[in-house]
């Protein structure tokens, strides 16, 4: 299993500003994922963050808007840049824990509830 | 066509009944399938994974997979009010990557 600490848990931000979300894992993991969950909707993958290489972004998400850092195997940050009200959402980091009977199991952080005014 | 489709519900069942949740997926080559439970205001947590055709049972939960029909289901026996949550079907498609694609989720209400 993995214990993930994500912060901040929530924030209210002004339009045009940026917010950096931090994700700390209690063990070394190869792959970390950043998801967005808009109200009443499911999780949409933003990007995959690998240590030592550039993050891989999904269609519709770009590095200038969502820069990601992955300095080591236990930590990652996601920045939401130049925010607009459309960025209001829950942002979740997750890690994949492979091996055993449940390969590719995802563990999630507690999420960051972002509101942009 | 969405990659993973679920009926959004809500699905309402009485306590003690069987709740049946369904999911279809578009990538025929997908090999890994999951059900996550998400309580309101909380993060998803994995409750079942299945990789082969047929049934897989874990306590009150049974996952069913039919790759020919591209169909995954979750049965919850003896439903309890504490099972009330949104259930997310998730698939790792055969695209050469490791990303997990989630369905929109089915809201389940178990009435006491």
């Amino acid at each position: 299993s993995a214990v993930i600490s994500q912060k901040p848990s929530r924030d209210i931000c002004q339009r045009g500003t940026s917010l950096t979300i931090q994700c700390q894992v209690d063990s070394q993991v190869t792959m970390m994922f950043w998801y967005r969950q808009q109200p009443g909707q499911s999780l949409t993958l933003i990007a995959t963050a690998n240590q030592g290489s550039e993050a891989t972004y999904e269609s519709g998400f770009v590095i200038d808007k969502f820069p990601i850092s992955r300095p080591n195997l236990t930590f990652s940050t996601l920045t939401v840049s130049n925010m607009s009200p459309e960025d209001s959402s829950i942002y979740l980091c997750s890690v994949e824990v492979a091996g055993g009977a449940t390969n590719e199991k995802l563990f999630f952080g507690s999420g960051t509830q972002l509101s942009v005014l | 066509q969405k990659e993973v489709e679920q009926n959004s519900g809500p699905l309402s069942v009485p306590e003690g009944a069987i709740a049946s949740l369904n999911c279809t997926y578009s990538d025929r080559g997908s090999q890994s399938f999951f059900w996550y439970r998400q309580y309101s205001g909380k993060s998803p947590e994995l409750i079942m994974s299945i990789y082969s055709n047929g049934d897989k049972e874990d306590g009150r939960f049974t996952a069913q997979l039919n790759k020919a029909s591209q169909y995954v289901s979750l049965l919850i026996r003896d439903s309890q009010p504490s099972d009330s949550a949104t259930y997310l079907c998730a698939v790792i498609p055969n695209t050469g990557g490791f990303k997990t694609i989630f369905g929109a989720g089915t809201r389940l209400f178990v009435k006491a």
Side-chain angles (χ1 to χ4, degrees):
Chain A
S1 66
V3 177
I4 304 171
S5 174
Q6 184 176 340
K7 57 182 180 182
S9 59
R10 62 179 62 240
D11 208 340
I12 300 173
C13 300
Q14 295 297 319
R15 181 194 301 262
T17 63
S18 298
L19 175 71
T20 295
I21 302 168
Q22 299 181 6
C23 184
Q24 178 76 51
V25 190
D26 68 342
S27 58
Q28 293 185 340
V29 293
T30 302
M31 306 189 75
M32 297 180 74
F33 305 90
W34 288 97
Y35 284 87
R36 180 173 73 183
Q37 187 172 31
Q38 295 181 307
Q41 299 190 27
S42 190
L43 287 78
T44 300
L45 182 63
I46 297 171
T48 302
N50 299 313
Q51 193 269 335
S53 64
E54 293 287 331
T56 303
Y57 289 83
E58 297 300 308
S59 176
F61 298 97
V62 296
I63 188 171
D64 289 346
K65 176 67 176 177
F66 298 100
I68 288 172
S69 77
R70 182 81 198 274
N72 56 55
L73 291 173
T74 64
F75 187 78
S76 179
T77 67
L78 170 76
T79 298
V80 186
S81 302
N82 188 25
M83 288 183 285
S84 66
E86 292 71 36
D87 295 320
S88 298
S89 186
I90 296 173
Y91 293 83
L92 292 154
C93 72
S94 70
V95 302
E96 181 181 275
V97 178
T102 52
N103 292 333
E104 306 150 323
K105 177 177 182 176
L106 288 181
F107 287 87
F108 287 87
S110 54
T112 296
Q113 172 76 63
L114 171 61
S115 298
V116 184
L117 304 178
Chain B
Q1 180 187 8
K2 294 182 179 178
E3 292 184 79
V4 181
E5 295 205 52
Q6 296 181 254
N7 187 323
S8 63
L11 173 65
S12 184
V13 301
E15 183 175 1
I18 296 175
S20 178
L21 307 165
N22 305 314
C23 170
T24 58
Y25 59 95
S26 61
D27 184 343
R28 182 171 289 278
S30 300
Q31 297 295 323
S32 304
F33 308 88
F34 310 88
W35 283 98
Y36 287 80
R37 177 176 62 199
Q38 186 174 25
Y39 291 113
S40 181
K42 301 295 185 181
S43 297
E45 57 178 340
L46 180 72
I47 53 173
M48 290 288 289
S49 60
I50 188 166
Y51 304 94
S52 302
N53 279 329
D55 295 359
K56 178 182 178 182
E57 186 175 318
D58 183 0
R60 295 187 296 113
F61 299 98
T62 298
Q64 299 175 318
L65 174 61
N66 184 326
K67 291 185 179 180
S69 300
Q70 297 174 239
Y71 177 90
V72 190
S73 67
L74 179 70
L75 301 178
I76 306 175
R77 291 182 301 280
D78 188 24
S79 296
Q80 302 297 309
S82 58
D83 294 325
S84 298
T86 296
Y87 289 81
L88 303 170
C89 176
V91 176
I92 297 182
N94 188 31
T95 56
F98 300 93
K99 60 182 181 181
T100 301
I101 306 300
F102 287 83
T106 299
R107 293 181 65 193
L108 173 66
F109 290 105
V110 181
K111 299 173 294 185

